[in-house]
Amino acid sequence: MTTSTPALVQHQSPTVLFVDDDLGIMQCVGMFLEQHEQLQVLDYCTHAQAGVAAALEHKPDVVLLDVHMPGADAFWACRQIVDRSHDRTKVLFYTSFPRDQYLDRCIAAGASGMVSKHTETIRGLALAIRYVLKGGSYYSPELAKRLCELESGAPRTRLATLTHREIE
């Protein structure tokens, strides 16, 4: 009778790519995520075009993408990453500009959510990353309360559901 030792299963840490023009802050956030949250940062990019190229090259699990930065539109970059990765790479907007019009564009671009830099802790960011990797959508609480669900099940901001006349 032979017995075999079961192979050790190594769990790879989820991988993250940062796309944000504030490189110093992102490196600090990335260092914390690596040291305390067991996430692996693959790269840092300071504009959208570089972010798309790096996402295609490194194939991260999640891209953290800022709304405002030089170069191409961040929502275009999100759509490129989601489409060209065949939905394998999740995109979370990580921003200081959590406005309703950005929420609607985030949803339309295929992002898995939006995290506010002002109200979410770094641990909260790590939770959001893990949540979207399990197939969910994540919006910081201050943002989630501004969303409603349409009959189709798709989220939209409450502002986007109003007619032009209702807004006036």
Side-chain angles (χ1 to χ4, degrees), residues 93-111:
F93 279 95
Y94 185 47
T95 186
S96 298
F97 300 96
R99 299 183 182 132
D100 282 356
Q101 70 266 28
Y102 295 144
L103 276 169
D104 287 320
R105 290 186 70 196
C106 160
I107 294 163

PDB file of all heavy atoms in Angstrom, residues 93-111:
ATOM      1  N   PHE A  93     -12.852  52.142  -9.414  1.00  0.00           N
ATOM      2  CA  PHE A  93     -12.414  53.528  -9.395  1.00  0.00           C
ATOM      3  C   PHE A  93     -12.097  53.887  -7.948  1.00  0.00           C
ATOM      4  O   PHE A  93     -12.871  53.593  -7.040  1.00  0.00           O
ATOM      5  CB  PHE A  93     -13.490  54.454  -9.968  1.00  0.00           C
ATOM      6  CG  PHE A  93     -13.487  54.472 -11.470  1.00  0.00           C
ATOM      7  CD1 PHE A  93     -14.335  53.656 -12.192  1.00  0.00           C
ATOM      8  CD2 PHE A  93     -12.610  55.297 -12.156  1.00  0.00           C
ATOM      9  CE1 PHE A  93     -14.313  53.657 -13.570  1.00  0.00           C
ATOM     10  CE2 PHE A  93     -12.575  55.311 -13.534  1.00  0.00           C
ATOM     11  CZ  PHE A  93     -13.433  54.486 -14.244  1.00  0.00           C
ATOM     12  N   TYR A  94     -10.936  54.484  -7.745  1.00  0.00           N
ATOM     13  CA  TYR A  94     -10.466  54.904  -6.415  1.00  0.00           C
ATOM     14  C   TYR A  94     -10.193  56.390  -6.552  1.00  0.00           C
ATOM     15  O   TYR A  94      -9.208  56.796  -7.161  1.00  0.00           O
ATOM     16  CB  TYR A  94      -9.207  54.112  -6.055  1.00  0.00           C
ATOM     17  CG  TYR A  94      -8.673  54.340  -4.664  1.00  0.00           C
ATOM     18  CD1 TYR A  94      -9.513  54.311  -3.567  1.00  0.00           C
ATOM     19  CD2 TYR A  94      -7.319  54.557  -4.456  1.00  0.00           C
ATOM     20  CE1 TYR A  94      -9.016  54.498  -2.287  1.00  0.00           C
ATOM     21  CE2 TYR A  94      -6.817  54.744  -3.179  1.00  0.00           C
ATOM     22  CZ  TYR A  94      -7.663  54.716  -2.099  1.00  0.00           C
ATOM     23  OH  TYR A  94      -7.169  54.905  -0.837  1.00  0.00           O
ATOM     24  N   THR A  95     -11.098  57.210  -6.021  1.00  0.00           N
ATOM     25  CA  THR A  95     -11.089  58.619  -6.395  1.00  0.00           C
ATOM     26  C   THR A  95     -11.431  59.580  -5.275  1.00  0.00           C
ATOM     27  O   THR A  95     -12.095  59.215  -4.312  1.00  0.00           O
ATOM     28  CB  THR A  95     -12.053  58.827  -7.582  1.00  0.00           C
ATOM     29  OG1 THR A  95     -11.949  60.165  -8.049  1.00  0.00           O
ATOM     30  CG2 THR A  95     -13.492  58.522  -7.189  1.00  0.00           C
ATOM     31  N   SER A  96     -10.991  60.797  -5.468  1.00  0.00           N
ATOM     32  CA  SER A  96     -11.345  61.904  -4.573  1.00  0.00           C
ATOM     33  C   SER A  96     -12.555  62.658  -5.112  1.00  0.00           C
ATOM     34  O   SER A  96     -12.975  63.645  -4.524  1.00  0.00           O
ATOM     35  CB  SER A  96     -10.175  62.895  -4.462  1.00  0.00           C
ATOM     36  OG  SER A  96      -9.062  62.264  -3.911  1.00  0.00           O
ATOM     37  N   PHE A  97     -13.095  62.240  -6.247  1.00  0.00           N
ATOM     38  CA  PHE A  97     -14.189  62.943  -6.914  1.00  0.00           C
ATOM     39  C   PHE A  97     -15.415  62.045  -7.058  1.00  0.00           C
ATOM     40  O   PHE A  97     -15.775  61.648  -8.159  1.00  0.00           O
ATOM     41  CB  PHE A  97     -13.732  63.428  -8.300  1.00  0.00           C
ATOM     42  CG  PHE A  97     -12.574  64.364  -8.241  1.00  0.00           C
ATOM     43  CD1 PHE A  97     -11.282  63.885  -8.417  1.00  0.00           C
ATOM     44  CD2 PHE A  97     -12.757  65.713  -7.987  1.00  0.00           C
ATOM     45  CE1 PHE A  97     -10.190  64.734  -8.358  1.00  0.00           C
ATOM     46  CE2 PHE A  97     -11.674  66.575  -7.926  1.00  0.00           C
ATOM     47  CZ  PHE A  97     -10.394  66.089  -8.107  1.00  0.00           C
ATOM     48  N   PRO A  98     -16.076  61.720  -5.941  1.00  0.00           N
ATOM     49  CA  PRO A  98     -17.227  60.818  -6.003  1.00  0.00           C
ATOM     50  C   PRO A  98     -18.528  61.544  -6.369  1.00  0.00           C
ATOM     51  O   PRO A  98     -19.446  61.640  -5.574  1.00  0.00           O
ATOM     52  CB  PRO A  98     -17.282  60.239  -4.588  1.00  0.00           C
ATOM     53  CG  PRO A  98     -16.759  61.348  -3.736  1.00  0.00           C
ATOM     54  CD  PRO A  98     -15.714  62.056  -4.572  1.00  0.00           C
ATOM     55  N   ARG A  99     -18.584  62.084  -7.568  1.00  0.00           N
ATOM     56  CA  ARG A  99     -19.765  62.826  -8.018  1.00  0.00           C
ATOM     57  C   ARG A  99     -20.729  61.884  -8.745  1.00  0.00           C
ATOM     58  O   ARG A  99     -20.321  60.896  -9.329  1.00  0.00           O
ATOM     59  CB  ARG A  99     -19.331  63.959  -8.940  1.00  0.00           C
ATOM     60  CG  ARG A  99     -18.429  64.944  -8.238  1.00  0.00           C
ATOM     61  CD  ARG A  99     -18.071  66.100  -9.136  1.00  0.00           C
ATOM     62  NE  ARG A  99     -17.162  66.978  -8.418  1.00  0.00           N
ATOM     63  CZ  ARG A  99     -16.039  67.452  -8.929  1.00  0.00           C
ATOM     64  NH1 ARG A  99     -15.693  67.153 -10.171  1.00  0.00           N
ATOM     65  NH2 ARG A  99     -15.267  68.236  -8.217  1.00  0.00           N
ATOM     66  N   ASP A 100     -22.015  62.271  -8.747  1.00  0.00           N
ATOM     67  CA  ASP A 100     -23.031  61.425  -9.382  1.00  0.00           C
ATOM     68  C   ASP A 100     -22.731  61.142 -10.843  1.00  0.00           C
ATOM     69  O   ASP A 100     -22.883  60.014 -11.296  1.00  0.00           O
ATOM     70  CB  ASP A 100     -24.420  62.071  -9.253  1.00  0.00           C
ATOM     71  CG  ASP A 100     -25.014  61.887  -7.868  1.00  0.00           C
ATOM     72  OD1 ASP A 100     -24.397  61.208  -7.035  1.00  0.00           O
ATOM     73  OD2 ASP A 100     -26.109  62.425  -7.623  1.00  0.00           O
ATOM     74  N   GLN A 101     -22.313  62.167 -11.598  1.00  0.00           N
ATOM     75  CA  GLN A 101     -22.061  61.921 -13.020  1.00  0.00           C
ATOM     76  C   GLN A 101     -20.916  60.931 -13.205  1.00  0.00           C
ATOM     77  O   GLN A 101     -20.892  60.166 -14.165  1.00  0.00           O
ATOM     78  CB  GLN A 101     -21.813  63.212 -13.806  1.00  0.00           C
ATOM     79  CG  GLN A 101     -20.504  63.915 -13.496  1.00  0.00           C
ATOM     80  CD  GLN A 101     -20.627  65.003 -12.438  1.00  0.00           C
ATOM     81  OE1 GLN A 101     -21.494  64.943 -11.582  1.00  0.00           O
ATOM     82  NE2 GLN A 101     -19.753  65.991 -12.504  1.00  0.00           N
ATOM     83  N   TYR A 102     -19.966  60.899 -12.268  1.00  0.00           N
ATOM     84  CA  TYR A 102     -18.881  59.922 -12.357  1.00  0.00           C
ATOM     85  C   TYR A 102     -19.373  58.523 -11.981  1.00  0.00           C
ATOM     86  O   TYR A 102     -18.916  57.532 -12.537  1.00  0.00           O
ATOM     87  CB  TYR A 102     -17.702  60.319 -11.478  1.00  0.00           C
ATOM     88  CG  TYR A 102     -17.032  61.591 -11.914  1.00  0.00           C
ATOM     89  CD1 TYR A 102     -16.517  62.479 -10.984  1.00  0.00           C
ATOM     90  CD2 TYR A 102     -16.895  61.926 -13.257  1.00  0.00           C
ATOM     91  CE1 TYR A 102     -15.896  63.656 -11.377  1.00  0.00           C
ATOM     92  CE2 TYR A 102     -16.278  63.086 -13.660  1.00  0.00           C
ATOM     93  CZ  TYR A 102     -15.782  63.952 -12.718  1.00  0.00           C
ATOM     94  OH  TYR A 102     -15.171  65.114 -13.116  1.00  0.00           O
ATOM     95  N   LEU A 103     -20.286  58.451 -11.038  1.00  0.00           N
ATOM     96  CA  LEU A 103     -20.864  57.148 -10.685  1.00  0.00           C
ATOM     97  C   LEU A 103     -21.558  56.520 -11.887  1.00  0.00           C
ATOM     98  O   LEU A 103     -21.358  55.339 -12.178  1.00  0.00           O
ATOM     99  CB  LEU A 103     -21.869  57.300  -9.542  1.00  0.00           C
ATOM    100  CG  LEU A 103     -21.322  57.306  -8.134  1.00  0.00           C
ATOM    101  CD1 LEU A 103     -22.401  57.727  -7.149  1.00  0.00           C
ATOM    102  CD2 LEU A 103     -20.799  55.944  -7.770  1.00  0.00           C
ATOM    103  N   ASP A 104     -22.361  57.312 -12.588  1.00  0.00           N
ATOM    104  CA  ASP A 104     -23.062  56.780 -13.758  1.00  0.00           C
ATOM    105  C   ASP A 104     -22.081  56.368 -14.853  1.00  0.00           C
ATOM    106  O   ASP A 104     -22.258  55.334 -15.491  1.00  0.00           O
ATOM    107  CB  ASP A 104     -24.064  57.805 -14.295  1.00  0.00           C
ATOM    108  CG  ASP A 104     -25.284  57.931 -13.390  1.00  0.00           C
ATOM    109  OD1 ASP A 104     -25.756  56.896 -12.886  1.00  0.00           O
ATOM    110  OD2 ASP A 104     -25.758  59.058 -13.185  1.00  0.00           O
ATOM    111  N   ARG A 105     -21.034  57.153 -15.061  1.00  0.00           N
ATOM    112  CA  ARG A 105     -20.031  56.800 -16.077  1.00  0.00           C
ATOM    113  C   ARG A 105     -19.239  55.560 -15.654  1.00  0.00           C
ATOM    114  O   ARG A 105     -18.865  54.744 -16.491  1.00  0.00           O
ATOM    115  CB  ARG A 105     -19.104  57.988 -16.332  1.00  0.00           C
ATOM    116  CG  ARG A 105     -19.828  59.124 -17.060  1.00  0.00           C
ATOM    117  CD  ARG A 105     -18.906  60.237 -17.451  1.00  0.00           C
ATOM    118  NE  ARG A 105     -18.011  59.785 -18.522  1.00  0.00           N
ATOM    119  CZ  ARG A 105     -16.910  60.431 -18.862  1.00  0.00           C
ATOM    120  NH1 ARG A 105     -16.558  61.531 -18.233  1.00  0.00           N
ATOM    121  NH2 ARG A 105     -16.146  59.984 -19.835  1.00  0.00           N
ATOM    122  N   CYS A 106     -18.991  55.429 -14.369  1.00  0.00           N
ATOM    123  CA  CYS A 106     -18.302  54.251 -13.825  1.00  0.00           C
ATOM    124  C   CYS A 106     -19.107  52.991 -14.134  1.00  0.00           C
ATOM    125  O   CYS A 106     -18.567  51.996 -14.624  1.00  0.00           O
ATOM    126  CB  CYS A 106     -18.133  54.450 -12.316  1.00  0.00           C
ATOM    127  SG  CYS A 106     -17.833  52.991 -11.344  1.00  0.00           S
ATOM    128  N   ILE A 107     -20.384  53.036 -13.893  1.00  0.00           N
ATOM    129  CA  ILE A 107     -21.264  51.900 -14.147  1.00  0.00           C
ATOM    130  C   ILE A 107     -21.313  51.598 -15.642  1.00  0.00           C
ATOM    131  O   ILE A 107     -21.162  50.451 -16.063  1.00  0.00           O
ATOM    132  CB  ILE A 107     -22.680  52.175 -13.580  1.00  0.00           C
ATOM    133  CG1 ILE A 107     -22.615  52.259 -12.049  1.00  0.00           C
ATOM    134  CG2 ILE A 107     -23.672  51.124 -14.045  1.00  0.00           C
ATOM    135  CD1 ILE A 107     -23.821  52.915 -11.411  1.00  0.00           C
ATOM    136  N   ALA A 108     -21.477  52.641 -16.462  1.00  0.00           N
ATOM    137  CA  ALA A 108     -21.559  52.462 -17.913  1.00  0.00           C
ATOM    138  C   ALA A 108     -20.261  51.897 -18.503  1.00  0.00           C
ATOM    139  O   ALA A 108     -20.291  51.166 -19.486  1.00  0.00           O
ATOM    140  CB  ALA A 108     -21.910  53.786 -18.589  1.00  0.00           C
ATOM    141  N   ALA A 109     -19.121  52.227 -17.888  1.00  0.00           N
ATOM    142  CA  ALA A 109     -17.826  51.766 -18.396  1.00  0.00           C
ATOM    143  C   ALA A 109     -17.518  50.324 -18.012  1.00  0.00           C
ATOM    144  O   ALA A 109     -16.523  49.767 -18.462  1.00  0.00           O
ATOM    145  CB  ALA A 109     -16.712  52.685 -17.893  1.00  0.00           C
ATOM    146  N   GLY A 110     -18.351  49.729 -17.160  1.00  0.00           N
ATOM    147  CA  GLY A 110     -18.143  48.330 -16.795  1.00  0.00           C
ATOM    148  C   GLY A 110     -17.315  48.121 -15.537  1.00  0.00           C
ATOM    149  O   GLY A 110     -16.876  47.002 -15.262  1.00  0.00           O
ATOM    150  N   ALA A 111     -17.115  49.189 -14.764  1.00  0.00           N
ATOM    151  CA  ALA A 111     -16.347  49.058 -13.518  1.00  0.00           C
ATOM    152  C   ALA A 111     -17.119  48.229 -12.502  1.00  0.00           C
ATOM    153  O   ALA A 111     -18.342  48.149 -12.542  1.00  0.00           O
ATOM    154  CB  ALA A 111     -16.032  50.432 -12.942  1.00  0.00           C
TER     155      ALA A 111
END
